[in-house]
């Protein structure tokens, strides 16, 4: 009878150790993988939101829409204005370049990747850049 009690304890310890090890491995490697996938999806969503924003700006500039709204959800991310960018445009029929300054919109998900929207439009001559 004592031999059987020892084998039950050893079996319990082995099974319990296997369960604890499995939970530890999933916690260490699984959570970082899930966080990477979540960050990648946030960046993809920001790219789609900026595409919608650009289309809405185009609609308003062409006069096809009196107003538009674009929603960008910022769960654990940030939306800021970057430093001022100088832009000089030369038109073929003008001698002097048309100087312009603007501040791009920057979406940052806390990773190494930022999504930057630089929208430039001229009202006198056709020209667009994103």
């Amino acid at each position: 009878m004592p031999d059987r009690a020892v084998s039950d304890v050893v079996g319990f310890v082995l099974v319990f150790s296997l369960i604890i090890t499995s939970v530890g491995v999933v916690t260490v490697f699984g959570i970082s993988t899930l966080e990477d996938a979540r960050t990648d999806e946030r960046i993809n969503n920001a790219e789609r939101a900026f595409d919608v924003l650009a289309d809405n700006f185009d609609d308003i500039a062409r006069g096809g829409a009196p107003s538009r709204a674009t929603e960008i959800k910022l769960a654990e991310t940030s939306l800021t204005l970057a430093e001022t960018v100088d832009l000089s445009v030369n038109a073929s029929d003008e001698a002097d370049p048309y100087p312009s300054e603007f501040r791009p919109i920057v979406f940052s998900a806390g990773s190494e990747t930022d999504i930057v929207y630089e929208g430039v439009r001229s009202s006198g001559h056709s020209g667009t850049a994103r």
Side-chain angles (χ1 to χ4, degrees), residues 52-69 117 119-130:
V52 170
L53 180 67
D55 290 340
N56 288 344
F57 283 158
D58 286 342
D59 288 344
I60 292 169
R62 279 188 255 131
S67 66
R68 292 278 193 227
Y117 177 80
V120 180
R121 178 169 297 278
S122 174
S123 59
H125 298 281
S126 62
T128 338
R130 286 186 214 159

Side-chain angles (χ1 to χ4, degrees), residues 23-97:
V23 169
V25 167
V26 167
T27 301
V28 168
F29 296 110
I31 289 180
S32 65
T33 303
L34 286 175
E35 287 176 357
D36 291 343
R38 181 180 61 190
T39 301
D40 290 343
E41 190 57 33
R42 283 184 179 152
I43 291 171
N44 289 338
N45 288 339
E47 288 176 353
R48 287 191 289 263
F50 280 172
D51 284 341
V52 170
L53 180 67
D55 290 340
N56 288 344
F57 283 158
D58 286 342
D59 288 344
I60 292 169
R62 279 188 255 131
S67 66
R68 292 278 193 227
T70 303
E71 180 177 324
I72 300 175
K73 295 189 178 185
L74 299 176
E76 298 178 24
T77 60
S78 65
L79 192 63
T80 58
L81 293 175
E83 294 297 320
T84 302
V85 176
D86 293 324
L87 177 70
S88 181
V89 178
N90 288 338
S92 60
D93 59 345
E94 293 181 13
D96 295 328

